[in-house]
Amino acid sequence: RRAVLFKINLRGARLRGANLISADLNGANLSGADLRDAQLSFADLRDANLAGADLTEANVSQEELALTKSLKGAIMPNGKKHR
């Protein structure tokens, strides 16, 4: 089943290792969220705010991340900070 979290506010949430495969996160606020090791493949990240989120070792594609509203200051899956 697909989790529908459209426009949800998960600012600063602890989602380490969460299974969000194919989740609808369109417009979600995930700023500052801990998404380390999270499974985000096939998630709908259109217009999601991931500013300051920690995506270290998260399973998510560059194509999916390109659809987000903001990645400013986020730690990317490779451990590098986004500018």
Side-chain angles (χ1 to χ4, degrees), residues 3-68:
V4 178
L5 303 168
F6 179 77
K7 291 192 175 183
I8 194 166
N9 184 359
L10 292 171
R11 182 178 184 198
R14 293 183 214 159
L15 298 168
R16 185 175 190 168
N19 180 351
L20 296 168
I21 295 171
S22 297
D24 180 356
L25 293 164
N26 186 335
N29 181 2
L30 293 159
S31 60
D34 180 357
L35 291 161
R36 290 175 290 170
D37 301 307
Q39 302 300 311
L40 291 160
S41 47
F42 307 109
D44 182 355
L45 296 173
R46 286 177 292 156
D47 297 320
N49 181 358
L50 291 165
D54 188 347
L55 295 158
T56 304
E57 297 294 324
N59 186 2
V60 61
S61 73
Q62 291 300 315
E63 291 81 11
E64 290 156 342
L65 290 174
L67 299 174
T68 63

